[in-house]
Amino acid sequence: MIEWINVITQGILLGGIYALFATGLSLSFGVMRLINMAHGDFIILAAFLAFAVVQPLQINPFYMILLIVPLMAFFGYVLQRLVLNKTLGEDILSPLLVTFGMSIIIQNLLLEIFSADSRGLNAGIVEVASISLGENMAIGVFPLITITIAIAVIIALQVIFYKTRLGRCFRATSDDHITSSIMGINTKHIYGMAMGLALGVTAIAGVLMAIRTNFDPSAGPLQLLYAFEVVIIGGLGSFWGTLIGGIILGIAQTVGSHFDPGWGILAGHIVFIIILMIKPNGLFPKMKGK
Amino acid sequence: MESFLSKYEITRGNKLTYAFSIFTVFFIIFLVSTPWWLDRAEVRRITEFLYILALAQMWNLLAGYGGLLSVGQQLFIGIGAYTLVIFSYKLGLNPFLVIPIAGIVSLIVAFGVSKVAFRLKGAYFAVGTWVLAETFRLLFSNVSWLGGGSGLSITNTMRGIPTWWRESLTLWFAILIGIGSVLLVNYILRSKYGLSLTAVRDSEVASESLGINVKKVKLLVYLISAFGCGMAGALIFITKLRVSPEAAFSIDWTVIMFFIVVIGGIGTIEGPIIGTIVYFTLRETLNGFGTWYLIILGLFTIIVMIKYPQGLWGLIKNRFNIHLFAIKRHVKEKPS
């Protein structure tokens, strides 16, 4: 019994990082209907950026969040204004293939620069520290920090979306971008801001992932699949839904791995497919998927 | 209707398309004869060209003509590869005979998978098909009878077949699949089904109101594409003789299809042919520079998608107003 409580607790905590993976994807899809196929590679890109600074300077990777977030946010804004805005329209072919092209470019550039070696960030004692809860149970400090950050990010996004002018613009543009532009909203700028925000959150996810586990240039697509599964399970457009989605995927994976280490990711995919069969719009949909 | 037909005539072919058909016949004869006078490395290269062309045509049919943006066609390549493992390596059937079986098995799997995939639309369908392919990859990785995650070598399926025959038969089957895929797409687009397929792509609502069974049309194109990819999959791993889930269900197959079709021109038969030529030229030219050819292909894809969404063939077609395949219907008033 205690064993199972342990497994489920690990799963819930794992959900924190998956929720962070998914929030950025949900944001860009929610505001501008853009499925960013390079999303996973942006996570890995953030991880490598952190790695490139941390390695020579030997500083605590947690500080990297302060540096990488604005960097990636700026990159996201520029990318959206210069490239991605040109792909948006009725047809999803163009954004899909353009971001897929980006995905391949990022993967192979990282491969050329950093080689195919597996890398990791060392955050010191925090990584292994745990809080003991009784005899056979312990909660890792780092996963706890991760899920706390995930919840903080979700609260922050809720505030931005529902309490600020920018958030009103996001929601208005998402509902009807033509009317929004008639009402004086610069939708191109709003899309840029949304992508900036999305990649900012992605940067947090990337740095935390780099501390949690090893990564290499080809790891992006798998992170994209996780993020995508979480968005669908949670339901599109709901930030709290992504947290629940992340937790469900996390539990599915830890339970799967508990039976056989080779079944973790597979169990996640299968739970995703089952939920899809039962509720194609996810558990807590706020808007309908196209 | 009668009066309309008596007043107008609908033509599809012109001198150029007829000339191209005759050229195709000679080209096939030329390809078939290559094992007798070309060295083995060249024959292998032609074989690869042909199966990549087949994959590109199948993805173009699915996405360009059917509007189904699948990112999971590697699923059927993997199924084709493992059909080869089971029927040829395990059950001892001649590997070349397994190729059509691989097509049929893929078709059956595609039918099952469609029950899940077709619940999704657009971008969801795209990533959903990818998740399905990954699921199959992981399932096969867990079957130790089929070599598990590290896969297995199937070299002994070729025991007793002399090298020359092996290489030549591989090439001839590649011709069958490569040129066959072009002719199949050509045939489909000339048929009534081809008309409903492009109609559904352009507007599902309008097609439905004209009495087209949208679901059936989409399912059929998905099945045909799976059939083609499955056969190509078996053939690809006949040339490689080593099957692993990582290689067979690799997303790289679909990436190649994307690049080729987008650069060549999506939604045209000529596009994938031109795209395949560009792909091979770039890969051979940048041979020795690691993965730079992929970076350049990625950049090329982005530029083409944004600036010239009709691809290279679109540029040529608009400039010279030519078609090599007699697909488009031209309506002309009959001289009375």
Side-chain angles (χ1 to χ4, degrees), chain A residues 66-117:
Chain A
L66 301 175
L67 175 74
I68 310 285
V69 168
L71 202 70
M72 289 288 283
F74 175 72
F75 179 59
Y77 182 84
V78 173
L79 191 71
Q80 184 69 39
R81 294 292 309 245
L82 292 185
V83 182
L84 294 176
N85 273 342
K86 295 194 170 69
T87 69
L88 296 178
E90 279 302 300
D91 199 5
I92 64 152
L93 178 78
S94 179
L96 197 92
L97 290 179
V98 166
T99 52
F100 213 94
M102 280 182 195
S103 155
I104 300 299
I105 293 172
I106 295 172
Q107 273 175 51
N108 288 290
L109 277 180
L110 289 176
L111 183 69
E112 292 292 336
I113 299 167
F114 293 98
S115 85
D117 293 349

Side-chain angles (χ1 to χ4, degrees), chain B:
Chain B
M1 202 63 191
E2 276 302 309
S3 64
F4 176 82
L5 284 178
S6 61
K7 247 168 122 184
Y8 296 94
E9 69 179 336
I10 300 168
T11 54
R12 288 196 280 207
N14 56 30
K15 274 182 190 146
L16 183 67
T17 63
Y18 291 131
F20 188 72
S21 317
I22 295 165
F23 167 77
T24 309
V25 173
F26 281 104
F27 189 62
I28 293 170
I29 296 169
F30 162 80
L31 285 177
V32 170
S33 72
T34 49
W36 279 283
W37 51 273
L38 258 182
D39 69 90
R40 258 164 60 187
E42 297 298 324
V43 172
R44 298 205 108 195
R45 200 167 295 170
I46 296 171
T47 306
E48 194 190 355
F49 182 91
L50 287 165
Y51 68 63
I52 295 285
L53 174 65
L55 293 180
Q57 286 291 356
M58 287 299 110
W59 193 74
N60 183 43
L61 178 68
L62 189 65
Y65 288 112
L68 288 168
L69 279 172
S70 167
V71 189
Q73 289 309 92
Q74 69 272 25
L75 167 59
F76 304 113
I77 297 173
I79 294 293
Y82 275 93
T83 309
L84 179 70
V85 172
I86 293 170
F87 281 85
S88 190
Y89 180 76
K90 296 283 181 187
L91 303 177
L93 218 64
N94 182 306
F96 295 102
L97 286 180
V98 177
I99 294 175
I101 301 177
I104 293 163
V105 173
S106 289
L107 199 140
I108 295 166
V109 171
F111 184 75
V113 162
S114 72
K115 299 277 176 236
V116 180
F118 278 39
R119 297 184 74 107
L120 303 168
K121 283 209 170 96
Y124 277 26
F125 176 81
V127 193
T129 49
W130 189 358
V131 172
L132 285 164
E134 277 296 297
T135 308
F136 273 83
R137 180 176 72 81
L138 292 166
L139 282 172
F140 277 96
S141 305
N142 279 301
V143 182
S144 51
W145 182 63
L146 294 172
S150 53
L152 37 78
S153 166
I154 54 167
T155 323
N156 68 359
T157 56
M158 288 295 170
R159 199 174 291 158
I161 308 174
T163 314
W164 188 88
W165 274 105
R166 196 185 87 200
E167 304 261 339
S168 307
L169 276 170
T170 312
L171 172 75
W172 295 332
F173 271 94
I175 295 170
L176 211 65
I177 293 171
I179 306 288
S181 70
V182 178
L183 297 179
L184 176 72
V185 175
N186 184 50
Y187 172 76
I188 289 174
L189 291 173
R190 288 174 63 100
S191 69
K192 187 182 161 211
Y193 172 69
L195 272 180
S196 32
L197 182 64
T198 45
V200 168
R201 174 197 61 189
D202 295 336
S203 170
E204 287 191 18
V205 181
S207 315
E208 194 106 61
S209 71
L210 288 169
I212 295 173
N213 187 339
V214 171
K215 268 192 180 158
K216 224 167 148 184
V217 166
K218 283 173 138 183
L219 179 64
L220 190 58
V221 75
Y222 189 66
L223 296 183
I224 294 170
S225 178
F227 179 74
C229 288
M231 289 210 290
L235 183 86
I236 289 169
F237 285 88
I238 283 178
T239 68
K240 298 196 186 293
L241 292 177
R242 180 166 182 84
V243 182
S244 70
E246 205 73 50
F249 293 94
S250 169
I251 179 73
D252 294 350
W253 295 117
T254 301
V255 171
I256 295 172
M257 299 182 216
F258 277 1
F259 284 169
I260 288 177
V261 173
V262 172
I263 291 171
I266 191 163
T268 61
I269 299 192
E270 295 90 343
I273 302 174
I274 298 205
T276 312
I277 296 171
V278 171
Y279 170 75
F280 273 86
T281 315
L282 217 65
R283 205 184 67 178
E284 301 289 314
T285 323
L286 295 174
N287 186 8
F289 291 95
T291 56
W292 280 99
Y293 81 97
L294 283 173
I295 297 171
I296 290 174
L297 277 171
L299 267 176
F300 219 42
T301 305
I302 294 175
I303 294 167
V304 167
M305 205 69 244
I306 291 175
K307 294 266 178 203
Y308 315 100
Q310 289 186 307
L312 291 179
W313 180 251
L315 286 179
I316 299 170
K317 187 177 70 182
N318 293 342
R319 181 98 170 71
F320 302 104
N321 193 25
I322 50 169
H323 301 274
L324 297 182
F325 294 89
I327 293 165
K328 275 224 156 119
R329 293 160 178 84
H330 301 277
V331 181
K332 221 167 43 186
E333 210 168 336
K334 266 186 189 165
S336 45

Side-chain angles (χ1 to χ4, degrees), chain A:
Chain A
M1 187 60 203
I2 192 86
E3 191 186 333
W4 280 107
I5 294 175
N6 213 350
V7 168
I8 305 249
T9 314
Q10 304 307 332
I12 293 171
L13 291 177
L14 182 61
I17 190 94
Y18 290 159
L20 277 174
F21 282 0
T23 315
L25 193 69
S26 175
L27 223 159
S28 57
F29 197 78
V31 175
M32 50 211 151
R33 298 287 184 279
L34 176 87
I35 269 275
N36 181 3
M37 300 295 276
H39 183 73
D41 303 290
F42 284 123
I43 296 174
I44 302 297
L45 177 67
F48 269 104
L49 285 177
F51 174 80
V53 182
V54 168
Q55 195 67 1
L57 299 181
Q58 294 297 327
I59 41 174
N60 190 314
F62 274 106
Y63 293 123
M64 279 295 98
I65 292 179
L66 301 175
L67 175 74
I68 310 285
V69 168
L71 202 70
M72 289 288 283
F74 175 72
F75 179 59
Y77 182 84
V78 173
L79 191 71
Q80 184 69 39
R81 294 292 309 245
L82 292 185
V83 182
L84 294 176
N85 273 342
K86 295 194 170 69
T87 69
L88 296 178
E90 279 302 300
D91 199 5
I92 64 152
L93 178 78
S94 179
L96 197 92
L97 290 179
V98 166
T99 52
F100 213 94
M102 280 182 195
S103 155
I104 300 299
I105 293 172
I106 295 172
Q107 273 175 51
N108 288 290
L109 277 180
L110 289 176
L111 183 69
E112 292 292 336
I113 299 167
F114 293 98
S115 85
D117 293 349
S118 193
R119 314 283 183 174
L121 290 183
N122 187 359
I125 190 79
V126 186
E127 273 191 70
V128 285
S130 63
I131 302 162
S132 174
L133 300 172
E135 258 179 56
N136 294 315
M137 217 179 130
I139 293 181
V141 171
F142 180 69
L144 208 57
I145 295 175
T146 308
I147 200 163
T148 312
I149 293 178
I151 292 169
V153 165
I154 288 170
I155 291 172
L157 286 176
Q158 288 283 354
V159 171
I160 292 174
F161 263 71
Y162 294 98
K163 300 272 186 254
T164 68
R165 197 187 116 77
L166 180 66
R168 264 201 313 281
C169 292
F170 280 153
R171 284 181 290 136
T173 317
S174 166
D175 286 343
D176 184 341
H177 66 101
I178 294 170
T179 312
S180 303
S181 60
I182 296 170
M183 304 309 280
I185 294 176
N186 181 352
T187 51
K188 287 188 168 149
H189 170 71
I190 290 301
Y191 286 160
M193 292 302 278
M195 200 45 159
L197 197 58
L199 284 201
V201 176
T202 305
I204 300 175
V207 175
L208 291 175
M209 182 220 65
I211 298 171
R212 194 184 85 84
T213 165
N214 283 350
F215 55 95
D216 64 74
S218 65
L222 192 59
Q223 322 303 321
L224 167 73
L225 291 188
Y226 292 159
F228 176 78
E229 288 175 344
V230 169
V231 171
I232 300 259
I233 293 173
L236 193 62
S238 157
F239 290 124
W240 289 111
T242 41
L243 183 66
I244 308 283
I247 288 172
I248 291 174
L249 186 68
I251 293 174
Q253 289 191 356
T254 47
V255 169
S257 310
H258 187 68
F259 286 109
D260 185 313
W263 291 354
I265 299 169
L266 184 60
H269 289 336
I270 288 172
V271 165
F272 162 73
I273 291 170
I274 292 170
I275 291 178
L276 204 63
M277 295 294 284
I278 304 167
K279 294 200 78 142
N281 284 320
L283 299 177
F284 312 100
K286 275 207 170 170
M287 49 174 91
K288 276 194 116 178
K290 257 214 266 193

